[in-house]
């Protein structure tokens, strides 16, 4: 059988097993305040800002068997910052997820494998590029009030443009990044309509810090480029770091298909040379599922 | 406010068969069956929670003290799946009823029940399954969909032919009851304690109505959430 025929057979098989295909699966509006967008250590370099993000996703889900499904999701997210317009972005992604449910009912374990590619388009060309991710997640609803999940994730980001080198012999493509993460989380229904979500993620890989000229960061960095988004004489430094992210949020169900939630996230990154960054993120999110 | 007057649930279908040439006879028979019974009594039930709010979707059952031997033949009822929900949320039927599970969504569902009163599974399907499921044992059947975990529905199988489901106003009328003593029970998906704890004796007159107000405790409903949850994972 030729390759084209095989593709046609797979497409026909998927069409026969199609379980759902809405015009839109989910719509979200989020207000986010990040108090350390620059991932900076010194007070003079720390910049915070408020952003409004609107997102939507859609795509078919193919129920392969009673317990296995495959979904293709296209997503678009637009984010507008209040002060740092260079960070305004429009991302469009495509994700393929295989999901397996190990049995019948809401309390059986579930496993999902996701591969995704996202196009990143920023006002600042320096950040334009592609983000590729692979994730494996296991989850289980242990009681009518408690659900647990854990995941491993690998990310690779490739930038389109290689800016002019600031320092000879040090690469300037600061947004060519790689990382691996492991995370755990729990959702607890404290009341029928209220869900408290907590999570912790260990992240090891590249981070980008934008600061004024800084010798310890310079020594720890693997790439450096001028980053005018946060002002003149600021530079983006890429470095390897270990990051921990703790999150807590509470969301309220509105009707059966929408939620409104508020959340808090605390990040701490530690890079070589005793470099230590902290940041907090506050979210207010409205989501509607179709 | 509307009071539902149900000898049988609204979705219940009873068929009267007529032979060839028996159309007029069948029509007369149907008229007789549909005509109000001048000698029948009725129970006007009202169900409220402890805060005094009307409770919808409560099933009120009247069991004759003389026993439930009834010549009635339960028909076929329907439990739909619409917009990824079971409709109705609560379906009361008499034991011996066959229930069909038409899927009115443009996606497939996988309906199951682990309940002792009826354990069954309808693997992935769209449209209407060929044969309805027989519910011949009294009890409560909790329905789920293995594709959409938030989908929960209930079938209440009554041993008595006299039952009704409360509307949004918490009221239900059980009509066409022969006069006599009855045990009245109330069941609801969130009922606190057992159904037997709601049992009470009631004398129904041969004609006319008797009011029966019941207060029940409700436990919180912690079913799986359908709406998306913000902030799941991610760095």
């Amino acid at each position: 059988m030729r390759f084209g025929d095989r593709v046609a057979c797979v497409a026909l098989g998927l069409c026969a097993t199609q379980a759902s295909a809405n015009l839109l699966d989910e719509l979200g509006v989020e207000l986010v305040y990040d108090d350390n967008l620059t991932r900076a250590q010194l007070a003079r370099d720390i910049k915070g800002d408020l952003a409004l993000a609107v997102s939507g996703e859609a795509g078919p889900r193919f129920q392969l068997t009673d317990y296995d499904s495959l979904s293709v999701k296209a997503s678009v997210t637009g984010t507008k910052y209040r002060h740092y317009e260079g960070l305004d972005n429009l991302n469009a992604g495509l994700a393929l997820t295989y999901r397996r449910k190990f049995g019948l009912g809401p309390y059986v374990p579930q496993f999902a494998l996701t591969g995704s590619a996202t196009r990143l388009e920023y006002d600042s060309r320096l950040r334009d590029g592609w983000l590729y991710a692979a994730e494996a997640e296991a989850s289980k609803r242990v009681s009518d009030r408690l659900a647990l999940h854990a995941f491993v994730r690998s990310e690779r980001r490739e930038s389109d443009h290689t800016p002019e080198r600031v320092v000879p012999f040090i690469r300037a493509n600061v947004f060519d990044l790689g990382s691996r993460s492991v995370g755990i989380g729990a959702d607890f229904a404290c009341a029928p309509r209220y869900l408290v979500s907590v999570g912790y993620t260990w992240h090891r890989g590249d981070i980008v810090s934008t600061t004024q000229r800084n010798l310890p960061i310079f020594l720890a960095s693997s790439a450096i480029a001028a980053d005018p988004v946060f002002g003149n004489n600021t530079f983006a430094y890429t470095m390897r770091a270990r990051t921990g992210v703790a999150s807590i949020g509470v969301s309220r169900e509105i009707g059966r298909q929408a939620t409104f939630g508020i959340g808090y996230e605390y990040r701490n990154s530690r890079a070589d040379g005793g470099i230590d960054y902290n940041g907090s993120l506050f979210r207010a999110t409205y989501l509607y599922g179709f | 406010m509307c009071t539902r007057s149900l000898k049988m649930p609204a979705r219940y279908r009873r068929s009267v068969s007529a032979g060839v040439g028996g159309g007029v006879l069948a029509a007369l028979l149907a008229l007789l069956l549909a005509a109000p019974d001048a000698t029948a009594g009725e129970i006007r039930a009202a169900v409220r929670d402890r805060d005094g709010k009307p409770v919808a979707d409560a099933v009120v059952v009247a069991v004759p003290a003389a026993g439930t031997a009834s010549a009635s033949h339960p028909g076929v009822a329907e439990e739909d799946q619409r917009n990824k929900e079971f409709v109705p949320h609560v379906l009361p039927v008499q034991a011996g009823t066959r229930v069909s599970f038409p899927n009115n969504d443009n996606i497939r569902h996988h309906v199951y029940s682990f309940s002792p009163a009826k354990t069954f599974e309808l693997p992935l399907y769209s449209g209407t399954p060929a044969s309805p499921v027989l519910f011949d044992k009294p009890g409560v059947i909790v329905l789920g969909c293995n594709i959409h975990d938030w989908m929960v529905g209930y079938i209440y199988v009554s041993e008595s032919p006299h039952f009704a489901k409360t509307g949004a106003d918490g009221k239900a009328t059980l009509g066409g009851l022969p006069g006599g003593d009855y045990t009245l029970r109330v069941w609801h998906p969130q009922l606190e304690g057992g159904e037997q704890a709601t049992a009470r004796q009631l004398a129904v007159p041969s004609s006319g109505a008797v009011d029966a107000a019941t207060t029940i405790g409700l436990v919180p409903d912690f079913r799986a959430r359908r709406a998306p949850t913000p902030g799941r994972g991610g760095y």
Side-chain angles (χ1 to χ4, degrees), chain A residues 52-288:
Chain A
L52 174 69
V54 178
S55 62
E57 63 175 51
R61 174 173 157 167
F62 306 96
Q63 198 65 41
L64 304 174
T65 71
D66 289 330
Y67 306 103
D68 304 272
S69 68
L70 195 65
S71 61
V72 183
K73 283 262 183 300
S75 62
V76 178
T77 305
T79 307
K80 172 82 184 135
Y81 282 82
R82 192 173 174 203
H83 297 299
Y84 299 105
E85 292 178 354
L87 296 178
D88 293 350
N89 64 80
L90 185 67
N91 301 334
L94 199 65
L96 181 71
T97 300
Y98 165 78
R99 191 173 293 276
R100 175 155 183 86
K101 207 172 170 185
F102 295 94
L104 203 59
Y107 299 106
V108 297
Q110 297 189 40
F111 177 73
L113 271 176
T114 302
S116 65
T118 307
R119 176 67 199 163
L120 311 171
E121 284 288 336
Y122 283 83
D123 263 20
S124 135
R125 282 186 76 208
L126 181 68
R127 290 169 168 77
D128 288 352
W130 287 92
L131 176 68
Y132 304 100
E135 184 176 304
E137 187 193 54
S139 58
K140 179 164 168 48
R141 191 173 156 92
V142 282
S143 73
D144 57 354
R145 301 180 73 168
L146 181 67
L148 304 174
H149 66 272
F151 68 90
V152 291
R153 182 179 169 90
S154 178
E155 278 187 5
R156 197 171 136 213
R157 181 168 166 176
E158 292 178 357
S159 51
D160 293 346
H161 312 288
T162 303
E164 204 174 315
R165 289 189 183 207
V166 178
V167 181
F169 312 114
I170 297 184
R171 66 183 176 93
N173 47 345
V174 284
F175 283 99
D176 280 2
L177 309 169
S179 67
R180 286 200 173 87
S181 310
V182 178
I184 51 169
D187 296 320
F188 178 73
C190 56
R193 287 182 166 270
Y194 289 88
L195 202 64
V196 174
S197 302
V198 293
Y200 193 86
T201 303
W202 294 268
H203 174 88
R204 189 172 177 86
D206 297 321
I207 61 166
V208 178
S209 172
T210 300
T211 71
Q212 294 176 33
R213 287 184 189 275
N214 183 320
L215 184 62
I217 294 176
F218 170 76
L219 293 174
S221 63
S222 57
I224 304 171
D227 185 4
V229 166
F230 294 104
N232 297 325
N233 300 317
T234 56
F235 297 87
Y237 297 87
T238 303
M239 66 195 79
R240 300 287 291 176
R242 293 172 303 283
T243 301
V245 181
S247 64
I248 184 164
V250 60
S251 59
R252 185 191 192 283
E253 205 176 21
I254 302 166
R256 285 282 287 151
Q257 289 172 253
T259 48
F260 175 75
I262 52 172
Y264 171 75
E265 219 175 87
Y266 175 78
R267 278 188 315 265
N268 176 254
S269 289
R270 290 171 192 275
D272 292 340
I275 298 160
D276 193 351
Y277 305 91
N278 295 316
S280 291
L281 200 138
F282 304 87
R283 302 173 190 276
T285 312
Y286 174 83
L287 290 175
Y288 187 90

Side-chain angles (χ1 to χ4, degrees), chain B residues 11 18 20-21 35 58 73 86 91 107 127 144 152 159 177 180-181 183 200 227 231:
Chain B
R11 307 189 69 78
V20 178
H73 298 288
F86 285 111
L91 173 69
I107 55 173
V152 177
E159 78 272 36
L177 302 173
D181 293 330
T183 300
R200 58 190 282 201

Side-chain angles (χ1 to χ4, degrees), chain A residues 17-86:
Chain A
T17 57
Q18 183 167 338
S20 70
N22 291 329
L23 187 63
L24 206 57
D25 289 332
E26 192 177 305
L27 197 65
V29 180
E30 187 169 67
L31 264 178
V32 186
Y33 180 78
D34 188 333
D35 73 356
N36 190 356
L37 280 169
T38 42
R39 310 287 181 257
Q41 184 177 25
L42 302 175
R44 66 171 195 202
D45 297 317
I46 294 173
K47 314 278 191 210
D49 201 2
L50 183 70
L52 174 69
V54 178
S55 62
E57 63 175 51
R61 174 173 157 167
F62 306 96
Q63 198 65 41
L64 304 174
T65 71
D66 289 330
Y67 306 103
D68 304 272
S69 68
L70 195 65
S71 61
V72 183
K73 283 262 183 300
S75 62
V76 178
T77 305
T79 307
K80 172 82 184 135
Y81 282 82
R82 192 173 174 203
H83 297 299
Y84 299 105
E85 292 178 354

Side-chain angles (χ1 to χ4, degrees), chain B residues 3-178:
Chain B
T3 302
R4 298 180 70 173
S5 180
L6 300 169
K7 280 184 179 176
M8 292 285 170
R11 307 189 69 78
Y12 219 86
R13 296 201 310 243
R14 184 181 295 194
S15 62
V16 177
S17 60
V20 178
V24 175
L25 190 62
L28 281 172
L29 189 60
L31 272 174
L32 279 172
L33 284 173
D37 187 347
T39 61
E42 66 178 33
I43 298 172
R44 290 193 300 231
V47 182
R48 293 184 175 274
D49 66 13
R50 290 197 184 117
D51 296 328
K53 291 180 187 159
V55 176
D57 280 340
V59 180
V60 183
V61 183
V63 182
T68 56
S70 169
S72 68
H73 298 288
V76 177
E78 277 186 3
E79 180 67 31
D80 288 357
Q81 293 135 74
R82 287 179 188 274
N83 187 26
K84 299 171 200 159
E85 301 286 357
F86 285 111
V87 180
H89 183 51
V90 174
L91 173 69
V93 297
Q94 188 185 347
T97 301
R98 292 175 181 276
V99 178
S100 67
F101 292 86
N103 175 359
N104 286 295
D105 284 327
N106 62 353
I107 55 173
R108 294 191 292 170
H109 291 298
H110 179 168
V111 177
Y112 66 85
S113 158
F114 297 134
S115 305
K118 186 72 183 182
T119 302
F120 72 99
E121 190 179 342
L122 299 173
L124 274 181
Y125 71 97
S126 51
T128 304
S131 46
V133 179
L134 173 67
F135 291 86
D136 53 359
K137 193 172 165 188
V140 175
I141 290 95
V142 184
L143 304 170
C145 171
N146 205 37
I147 311 302
H148 309 99
D149 282 339
W150 67 79
M151 283 177 66
V152 177
Y154 299 88
I155 294 181
Y156 180 95
V157 182
S158 166
E159 78 272 36
S160 164
H162 310 298
F163 56 87
K165 188 173 79 169
T166 58
D169 58 0
K171 293 179 178 172
T173 302
L174 288 77
L177 302 173

